[in-house]
Coordinates of all heavy atoms in Angstrom, one line a residue:
S19 N 9.3 8.6 -14.6 CA 10.0 8.0 -13.4 C 9.4 6.7 -13.1 O 8.4 6.2 -13.5 CB 9.9 8.9 -12.3 OG 8.6 8.9 -11.7
K20 N 10.1 6.0 -12.2 CA 9.8 4.7 -11.9 C 8.7 4.7 -10.8 O 9.0 4.6 -9.6 CB 11.1 3.9 -11.3 CG 10.7 2.4 -11.3 CD 12.0 1.7 -11.0 CE 11.7 0.2 -11.3 NZ 13.0 -0.5 -10.9
L21 N 7.5 4.8 -11.3 CA 6.3 4.9 -10.3 C 5.6 3.5 -10.2 O 4.7 3.4 -9.6 CB 5.4 6.0 -10.8 CG 5.9 7.3 -10.8 CD1 5.0 8.4 -11.4 CD2 6.3 7.9 -9.4
I22 N 6.2 2.4 -11.0 CA 5.7 1.1 -10.9 C 5.6 0.6 -9.5 O 6.6 0.4 -8.8 CB 6.5 0.1 -11.7 CG1 6.4 0.6 -13.2 CG2 6.0 -1.3 -11.6 CD1 7.5 -0.2 -13.9
L23 N 4.4 0.4 -8.9 CA 4.3 -0.2 -7.6 C 4.9 0.8 -6.5 O 4.9 0.3 -5.4 CB 4.9 -1.5 -7.3 CG 4.5 -2.7 -8.2 CD1 5.3 -3.8 -8.0 CD2 3.1 -3.0 -8.0
A24 N 5.2 2.0 -6.8 CA 5.9 2.9 -5.9 C 7.1 2.2 -5.4 O 7.5 2.1 -4.1 CB 5.0 3.4 -4.6
L25 N 7.8 1.5 -6.4 CA 9.0 0.7 -5.9 C 10.3 1.4 -5.9 O 11.3 0.8 -5.9 CB 9.0 -0.5 -6.9 CG 7.9 -1.5 -6.9 CD1 7.9 -2.5 -8.0 CD2 8.0 -2.2 -5.6
A26 N 10.4 2.8 -6.1 CA 11.6 3.3 -6.0 C 12.4 3.2 -4.6 O 11.6 3.2 -3.6 CB 11.4 4.9 -6.3
I27 N 13.6 3.0 -4.7 CA 14.2 2.8 -3.4 C 14.8 4.1 -2.8 O 15.0 5.0 -3.5 CB 15.5 1.8 -3.6 CG1 16.6 2.5 -4.5 CG2 15.2 0.6 -4.1 CD1 17.8 1.9 -4.5
S28 N 14.8 4.2 -1.4 CA 15.3 5.4 -0.7 C 16.7 5.2 -0.4 O 16.9 4.2 0.5 CB 14.4 5.5 0.5 OG 14.8 6.6 1.1
L29 N 17.5 6.1 -0.8 CA 19.0 6.0 -0.5 C 19.4 7.2 0.3 O 20.7 7.3 0.5 CB 19.8 5.8 -1.8 CG 19.5 4.6 -2.6 CD1 20.1 4.8 -4.0 CD2 20.1 3.5 -1.8
G30 N 18.4 8.0 0.9 CA 19.0 9.0 1.9 C 18.8 10.3 1.3 O 18.2 10.6 0.3
V31 N 19.3 11.3 1.9 CA 19.1 12.9 1.4 C 20.1 13.0 0.3 O 21.0 12.2 0.1 CB 19.5 13.8 2.6 CG1 18.4 13.5 3.7 CG2 20.8 13.5 3.2
F32 N 20.0 14.2 -0.3 CA 20.7 14.4 -1.5 C 22.1 14.8 -1.3 O 23.0 14.2 -1.6 CB 19.9 15.5 -2.4 CG 18.7 15.0 -3.0 CD1 17.5 15.8 -3.1 CD2 18.5 13.6 -3.4 CE1 16.4 15.2 -3.7 CE2 17.4 13.1 -3.9 CZ 16.2 13.9 -4.0
S33 N 22.3 16.0 -0.8 CA 23.7 16.6 -0.9 C 24.0 17.6 0.2 O 24.3 18.9 -0.2 CB 24.0 17.1 -2.3 OG 23.1 18.1 -2.6
S34 N 23.8 17.3 1.4 CA 24.1 18.3 2.5 C 24.9 17.6 3.6 O 25.2 16.5 3.6 CB 22.9 18.9 3.2 OG 22.1 17.8 3.8
C35 N 25.6 18.5 4.4 CA 26.3 17.9 5.5 C 25.6 17.9 6.9 O 24.7 18.9 7.0 CB 27.6 18.6 5.7 SG 28.7 18.5 4.0
D36 N 25.9 17.1 7.7 CA 25.2 17.1 9.1 C 25.9 18.1 10.0 O 26.8 18.8 9.5 CB 25.1 15.7 9.7 CG 26.4 15.1 9.9 OD1 27.4 15.8 10.0 OD2 26.5 13.8 10.1
N37 N 25.4 18.1 11.3 CA 26.0 19.2 12.1 C 27.4 19.0 12.4 O 28.1 19.9 12.8 CB 25.2 19.1 13.5 CG 23.8 19.7 13.2 OD1 23.5 20.5 12.3 ND2 22.9 19.2 14.1
D38 N 27.9 17.6 12.2 CA 29.4 17.4 12.5 C 30.2 17.6 11.2 O 31.4 17.3 11.1 CB 29.6 16.1 13.0 CG 28.8 15.7 14.3 OD1 28.8 16.7 15.0 OD2 28.3 14.7 14.4
N39 N 29.6 18.1 10.0 CA 30.3 18.4 8.9 C 30.8 17.1 8.3 O 31.9 17.2 7.6 CB 31.4 19.5 9.2 CG 30.9 20.8 9.5 OD1 29.9 21.3 8.9 ND2 31.7 21.5 10.4
T40 N 30.2 16.1 8.5 CA 30.4 14.8 7.9 C 30.0 14.7 6.6 O 28.7 14.8 6.3 CB 30.0 13.7 8.8 OG1 30.5 13.7 10.2 CG2 30.4 12.3 8.2
K41 N 30.7 14.4 5.6 CA 30.5 14.4 4.3 C 29.6 13.0 4.0 O 30.0 12.0 4.5 CB 31.5 14.3 3.3 CG 31.2 14.5 1.8 CD 32.5 14.5 1.1 CE 32.1 14.8 -0.5 NZ 31.3 13.7 -1.0
I42 N 28.5 13.3 3.4 CA 27.7 12.0 3.0 C 28.3 11.2 2.0 O 28.8 11.8 1.0 CB 26.3 12.5 2.6 CG1 25.5 13.2 3.8 CG2 25.4 11.3 2.2 CD1 24.1 13.8 3.5
E43 N 28.3 10.0 2.1 CA 29.0 9.1 1.0 C 28.0 8.9 -0.1 O 26.8 8.7 0.0 CB 29.3 7.7 1.7 CG 30.1 6.7 0.8 CD 30.2 5.4 1.3 OE1 30.0 5.3 2.6 OE2 30.8 4.6 0.7
F44 N 28.6 9.1 -1.2 CA 27.8 8.8 -2.5 C 27.5 7.4 -2.6 O 28.4 6.6 -2.5 CB 28.6 9.3 -3.6 CG 28.1 9.1 -5.1 CD1 26.8 9.5 -5.3 CD2 28.8 8.8 -6.2 CE1 26.2 9.4 -6.5 CE2 28.3 8.6 -7.4 CZ 26.9 9.0 -7.6
D45 N 26.2 7.0 -2.7 CA 25.6 5.7 -2.7 C 24.5 5.6 -3.9 O 24.0 6.6 -4.2 CB 25.0 5.4 -1.4 CG 24.8 3.9 -1.3 OD1 25.3 3.1 -2.1 OD2 24.3 3.5 -0.2
G46 N 24.4 4.5 -4.3 CA 23.4 4.3 -5.4 C 23.1 2.8 -5.7 O 23.8 1.9 -5.0
A47 N 22.4 2.6 -6.7 CA 22.1 1.3 -7.1 C 21.6 1.2 -8.6 O 21.1 2.2 -9.1 CB 21.0 0.7 -6.4
G48 N 21.8 0.1 -9.3 CA 21.3 -0.1 -10.6 C 20.4 -1.3 -10.7 O 20.4 -2.2 -10.1
D49 N 19.4 -1.1 -11.7 CA 18.5 -2.2 -11.9 C 18.1 -2.4 -13.4 O 17.8 -1.4 -14.0 CB 17.2 -2.0 -11.1 CG 16.3 -3.2 -11.2 OD1 16.8 -4.3 -11.3 OD2 15.0 -3.2 -11.2
I50 N 18.4 -3.6 -14.0 CA 18.0 -3.9 -15.3 C 17.0 -4.9 -15.2 O 17.3 -6.1 -14.4 CB 19.1 -4.1 -16.2 CG1 18.6 -4.6 -17.7 CG2 20.1 -5.2 -15.7 CD1 19.7 -4.7 -18.8

Side-chain angles (χ1 to χ4, degrees):
S19 74
K20 194 173 193 181
L21 297 171
I22 300 168
L23 296 177
L25 290 173
I27 64 170
S28 174
L29 291 170
V31 297
F32 291 141
S33 57
S34 62
C35 297
D36 62 19
N37 293 334
D38 296 327
N39 293 321
T40 301
K41 189 178 186 299
I42 296 174
E43 182 178 355
F44 182 36
D45 197 6
D49 189 30
I50 178 170

